[in-house]
Amino acid sequence: MKRILVTGGDGQLGMSLKQKIKEKPIAESTFVFTDVQELDIMDEMFVKTYFFSNKFDYVINCAAYTAVDRAESDQQIAEKLNAEAVKYLAKASAAQKATFIQISTDYVFSGNESTPRKEDDPVGPLGVYGKTKLSGEKFALEYNPKTYILRTAWLYSPFGNNFVKTMLKLFKEREEVNVINDQLGSPTNALDLADAILTIVQNDIQAYGVYHYSNEGECTWYQFAEEIKKLSRSAIKIEPIPTSGYPTPAERPKYSLLDKTKIKTTFGVSVPDWKESLKSIL
């Protein structure tokens, strides 16, 4: 019987994992979902005590500080949750010889490229969020040899706050919205990412290291918004604007496409097209 801990259980990826396990239970596996109330991963002594009382075969860390702009002025907390807490979990899971799965981001890259990023391409985060997530990756790999890093991008789901839910809300409230049209990426349905994580757990082939997962295809935020508009049959007018027309505290990568070859060939993970995935949610 495999025991699997999921931290950040109330976030959009944690909730997506709950949904997937409900739909397709994994034989001989017990999942334990925690959030800050049950397990404060920023408290090292709390983590040690929790792991002393509970034994796991897998630890999936879905907890993160994801408020990209706020991280610029809230660096200490972002560092604590995205890096230090990852170190605590990596150490605690390694002590139990448990496999550690850490979720990371396209923000570890500068976004100045023009071809999909491979796992071993040079990193160069632009802001605090990307830097702290990259530190988390390094801690995970350093403190637990049985680690998978899963980088993803443009995550959305039926849960939590995300671009799709924001757009649907604005479509009801406004007659026109401005959306950035010069950042390129691939929207990722968190339910698909949850599927990929569960495939790794089920396969159990011990091919540790860094992997990329996002949905297939590419678009700008403006094209993403247009597709949401089409599928939700909204009459709103969407105006494309450049990044310079919407200044934010944190600089965004202009190019966020990830190469998924490694995860597909290693685990046989299927990667749906972003439009099909969006349709399945809406």
Side-chain angles (χ1 to χ4, degrees):
M1 175 67 79
K2 268 187 210 154
R3 277 178 56 80
I4 300 149
L5 172 68
V6 180
T7 57
D10 293 343
Q12 64 170 337
L13 183 54
M15 296 291 283
S16 297
L17 278 165
K18 279 181 193 166
Q19 173 93 12
K20 281 291 168 186
I21 293 156
K22 214 180 286 177
E23 288 170 13
K24 286 188 295 186
I26 298 178
E28 296 185 4
S29 297
T30 303
F31 283 82
V32 177
F33 286 86
T34 64
D35 214 278
V36 67
Q37 304 86 342
E38 301 84 18
L39 172 59
D40 181 356
I41 62 170
M42 293 193 290
D43 182 334
E44 186 172 18
M45 193 46 70
F46 198 147
V47 172
K48 280 181 178 173
T49 307
Y50 187 85
F51 275 78
F52 184 77
S53 311
N54 298 276
K55 176 86 174 74
F56 299 103
D57 302 289
Y58 274 82
V59 175
I60 305 168
N61 182 28
C62 299
Y65 188 108
T66 55
V68 176
D69 288 321
R70 206 162 64 234
E72 293 299 311
S73 56
D74 203 3
Q75 192 165 347
Q76 216 175 343
I77 298 293
E79 182 74 39
K80 191 78 176 156
L81 186 50
N82 290 344
E84 292 295 322
V86 178
K87 185 203 289 183
Y88 306 154
L89 288 172
K91 281 181 171 179
S93 54
Q96 299 189 351
K97 295 186 167 51
T99 299
F100 186 42
I101 300 179
Q102 167 65 12
I103 310 304
S104 194
T105 172
D106 60 299
Y107 276 66
V108 299
F109 296 109
S110 68
N112 295 325
E113 305 80 15
S114 56
T115 54
R117 298 293 81 203
K118 289 188 164 71
E119 287 80 357
D120 54 0
D121 282 344
V123 290
L126 301 172
V128 170
Y129 170 66
K131 285 171 184 165
T132 57
K133 289 297 285 181
L134 182 58
S135 294
E137 286 188 12
K138 289 174 179 170
F139 283 143
L141 293 163
E142 181 184 344
Y143 288 100
N144 189 336
K146 296 169 68 174
T147 285
Y148 293 103
I149 304 290
L150 271 187
R151 293 178 184 146
T152 191
W154 294 26
L155 209 60
Y156 70 91
S157 71
F159 317 105
N161 298 317
N162 54 69
F163 184 79
V164 175
K165 290 173 83 172
T166 299
M167 285 298 116
L168 291 172
K169 184 171 177 285
L170 291 176
F171 291 176
K172 286 180 183 150
E173 295 171 356
R174 298 187 190 174
E175 291 176 7
E176 185 177 321
V177 290
N178 297 334
V179 181
I180 288 165
N181 196 31
D182 59 358
Q183 292 173 20
L184 194 69
S186 184
T188 307
N189 183 337
L191 292 162
D192 294 336
L193 177 58
D195 258 339
I197 292 167
L198 296 174
T199 300
I200 290 171
V201 171
Q202 283 174 290
N203 282 0
D204 206 12
I205 61 170
Q206 300 174 14
Y208 308 116
V210 182
Y211 291 84
H212 287 170
Y213 186 94
S214 61
N215 283 131
E216 294 286 19
E218 61 181 62
C219 65
T220 65
W221 290 106
Y222 166 73
Q223 290 165 329
F224 189 11
E226 281 287 355
E227 193 66 19
I228 299 165
K229 171 186 168 176
K230 187 176 93 179
L231 292 171
S232 63
R233 299 187 175 88
S234 171
I236 195 159
K237 184 178 189 304
I238 305 175
E239 198 64 48
I241 60 165
T243 300
S244 57
Y246 187 71
T248 55
E251 193 181 344
R252 263 71 174 167
K254 283 284 186 79
Y255 185 91
S256 285
L257 291 178
L258 301 172
D259 186 304
K260 277 87 68 174
T261 307
K262 186 179 172 187
I263 199 167
K264 288 192 277 194
T265 53
T266 308
F267 296 101
V269 164
S270 65
V271 185
D273 182 81
W274 75 267
K275 286 187 179 179
E276 289 306 308
S277 254
L278 181 63
K279 196 186 288 180
S280 74
I281 278 199
L282 290 183

